[in-house]
Amino acid sequence: MGSLLIKNATAILPMTGPDQILYNADLAIEGKEIKYVGNVPAEFQPDTVIDARGKVVMPGLVNCHNHAAMTLLRSYADDLPLMEWLQKKIWPIEAHLNSEDVYWGSLLACAEMVKSGTTLFADMYFEMGRVAEAAQVVGIRANLARGMIGFGPNAERAINESVELVECWHCKADGMVKVMLGPHAPYTCPPEYLERVMKLADDLKVGIHIHLAETKAEVEEIKEKYGTTPVKLMDQIGLFKGRQVLAAHCVHLTDEEMEILANHKVGIAHNPESNMKLASGVAPVPRLLELGAVVGLGTDGPSSNNNLDLMQEMRSAALLHKVFTMNPTVLPAYTALEMATVKGAQALGYDNLGQLQPGYLADIILIDLEKPHLYPRHDLIANLVYSATAADVDTVIVNGRVIMTERKLLFVDEKEVIERAEARTKELLARAASEK
Ligand SMILES: [Zn+2]
């Protein structure tokens, strides 16, 4: 892998502090790491030079919770109550999804994510080897978990497939893929099963990705079954002790539970748009941040969002918490940007990602500022969060490698992906209808 110089950037936003913006600056990459930020010595000899005039250079965005292959179910069922949506629409069609569907659905998702500035995503689904392949083709970094349901005929299979996924993919592909174990949720994985998963995670030295406290119904069900609330139940069985845990949603929390999550540095994936669309509730993010919790942003699956656009998610997060608390000072623009970058990386267990610093992995995006909606520039950060769109993302670099330039994906034929994903969807619907 070679060296790359990004020069003449209108601004570099290293995400090391709200006032730390470098104007008319350069950045150098050597191999997969950032070497210089700001001033690059004259003796640095790059193989490639990118002129970033008119652009802001910033860390790539981190999508902390996704079910990427569900792109095939985008707009398949909307505006329904959660359980009706799941039981009558999503689960019946998901039962017919096969390995090829997951591959092409994931390719479509990866293309969409890169085109909206995402360089790392956390995913929970099945056929995860195919998701890894899709991520590799596009060139995006991935953190993958095979979703596990702790009862019924597939409980053992999920464990076996998770082990296989770890063996095949964890820290492979030049470190571009990491694997976690993915017990779906406390209401689908009984404590005995979770204890097995915890032990396995420790043996395999991987983290755990779980849905937690997403809906009121979940809290009620756990209370009825175990006499306590979801986060407390997880704390009691020791889930958060001594391992990386990524908890999606965390909407319905008591004060005590917020402290548990903050004290254990549990990575929290906040999914404001999915929570709004499914009317799950509003996660207490401002309070969690006050307590020092590690909160990143996620889109959740594309059938409950219905896109994988973190630029929109940042804006939604900032706006949602203002109106919900009736306080416009809550979740300021820089905090939203932190959640989409460095905090998200921390939530997934990366300590050398999400900021532009020497020695950090070179996952970087260039945003084109030469657009009517990004003038004037009283405040670059406010412009990025409140005015910029996915279409302003111009160039994407992952692991020191340019994977999109001038909005063109370099390693995948976007048109082919769209056509194949569309064809797979039609076949899927036909298969589901004939097997009914
Ligand atoms: Zn989810």
Side-chain angles (χ1 to χ4, degrees):
M1 213 177 272
S3 56
L4 178 68
L5 175 65
I6 301 172
K7 66 171 194 182
N8 306 324
T10 295
I12 293 180
L13 187 59
M15 293 310 297
T16 47
D19 303 322
Q20 312 253 318
I21 304 176
L22 308 165
Y23 294 98
N24 302 315
D26 303 339
L27 182 146
I29 298 169
E30 181 85 64
K32 57 185 169 184
E33 286 180 3
I34 297 167
K35 196 160 168 83
Y36 302 105
V37 180
N39 292 317
V40 176
E43 62 266 25
F44 182 77
Q45 291 289 325
D47 300 323
T48 315
V49 177
I50 294 176
D51 193 323
R53 222 172 302 225
K55 300 187 177 74
V56 60
V57 177
M58 61 174 286
L61 307 181
V62 179
N63 189 340
C64 290
H65 184 64
N66 198 351
H67 311 282
M70 289 180 86
T71 45
L72 298 194
L73 304 179
R74 191 195 325 261
S75 69
Y76 173 68
D78 298 278
D79 310 326
L80 293 170
L82 175 67
M83 285 328 279
E84 189 182 337
W85 177 75
L86 277 176
Q87 289 170 348
K88 291 198 176 152
K89 304 294 284 188
I90 297 299
W91 288 341
I93 190 85
E94 257 185 349
H96 298 278
L97 273 175
N98 63 30
S99 162
E100 277 300 286
D101 297 332
V102 169
Y103 177 70
W104 287 100
S106 299
L107 266 182
L108 187 67
C110 290
E112 180 187 356
M113 284 191 279
V114 171
K115 294 200 83 172
S116 45
T118 294
T119 51
L120 164 62
F121 71 107
D123 207 71
M124 185 195 291
Y125 215 53
F126 55 93
E127 294 286 355
M128 295 307 290
R130 303 309 307 275
V131 185
E133 282 175 41
Q136 279 294 288
V137 168
V138 176
I140 189 172
R141 197 181 294 280
N143 186 304
L144 307 178
R146 201 281 187 214
M148 309 156 104
I149 305 288
F151 43 70
N154 290 328
E156 285 309 309
R157 190 172 136 202
I159 287 195
N160 296 337
E161 288 183 11
S162 295
V163 173
E164 199 180 306
L165 185 69
V166 173
E167 284 167 355
C168 292
W169 286 99
H170 185 56
C171 292
K172 300 285 163 60
D174 202 20
M176 291 276 285
V177 179
K178 282 195 182 174
V179 176
M180 284 185 168
L181 300 190
H184 172 261
Y187 62 96
T188 49
C189 295
E192 318 78 71
Y193 189 79
L194 281 169
E195 277 159 9
R196 274 183 72 193
V197 172
M198 283 153 50
K199 168 139 191 352
L200 188 60
D202 296 347
D203 290 346
L204 296 168
K205 297 186 175 61
V206 297
I208 288 180
H209 183 173
I210 188 168
H211 294 86
L212 197 52
E214 180 176 2
T215 62
K216 267 207 173 110
E218 171 185 344
V219 176
E220 293 311 315
E221 190 180 330
I222 295 294
K223 265 190 190 161
E224 202 164 293
K225 261 191 204 154
Y226 305 105
T228 187
T229 46
V231 174
K232 280 197 77 175
L233 178 66
M234 295 302 99
D235 192 38
Q236 279 166 19
I237 65 169
L239 179 72
F240 307 129
K241 248 200 184 138
R243 64 179 73 82
Q244 184 72 35
V245 176
L246 172 62
H249 300 299
C250 299
V251 173
H252 300 279
L253 305 173
T254 63
D255 289 346
E256 189 191 354
E257 289 181 312
M258 286 189 242
E259 280 175 22
I260 292 171
L261 293 171
N263 292 342
H264 285 96
K265 297 284 170 215
V266 173
I268 297 169
H270 175 43
N271 308 285
E273 293 190 358
S274 172
N275 294 160
M276 284 194 268
K277 187 158 185 280
L278 295 172
S280 302
V282 179
V285 171
R287 180 70 189 133
L288 285 164
L289 292 173
E290 268 173 26
L291 291 168
V294 184
V295 188
L297 280 181
T299 54
D300 206 355
S303 63
S304 65
N305 186 299
N306 289 0
N307 63 43
L308 304 175
D309 178 352
L310 273 179
M311 302 289 287
Q312 281 186 15
E313 211 70 35
M314 279 197 286
R315 179 181 151 93
S316 294
L319 299 184
L320 170 64
H321 294 288
K322 291 179 206 311
V323 70
F324 187 64
T325 56
M326 297 287 278
N327 178 356
T329 68
V330 153
L331 226 152
Y334 187 77
T335 304
L337 266 179
E338 272 189 322
M339 289 167 69
T341 55
V342 58
K343 294 286 179 196
Q346 287 168 5
L348 304 193
Y350 297 80
D351 55 9
N352 60 345
L353 205 69
Q355 291 180 327
L356 305 184
Q357 292 208 60
Y360 273 50
L361 291 169
D363 290 11
I364 295 173
I365 57 176
L366 275 61
I367 294 184
D368 186 359
L369 297 172
E370 297 300 318
K371 304 280 182 77
H373 61 278
L374 298 175
Y375 271 95
R377 303 207 190 120
H378 297 297
D379 184 333
L380 176 70
I381 288 164
N383 273 7
L384 286 172
V385 174
Y386 298 125
S387 311
T389 71
D392 304 325
V393 179
D394 178 88
T395 299
V396 177
I397 299 163
V398 182
N399 223 27
R401 177 173 175 240
V402 180
I403 62 168
M404 181 174 90
T405 178
E406 290 176 11
R407 295 201 58 68
K408 189 180 175 349
L409 298 169
L410 297 180
F411 300 107
V412 72
D413 181 341
E414 189 179 323
K415 194 161 171 281
E416 187 198 359
V417 171
I418 290 171
E419 285 169 4
R420 292 292 294 269
E422 178 70 6
R424 299 291 328 167
T425 307
K426 284 196 176 126
E427 265 181 54
L428 169 68
L429 292 179
R431 208 159 57 233
S434 73
E435 287 170 18
K436 231 176 205 168

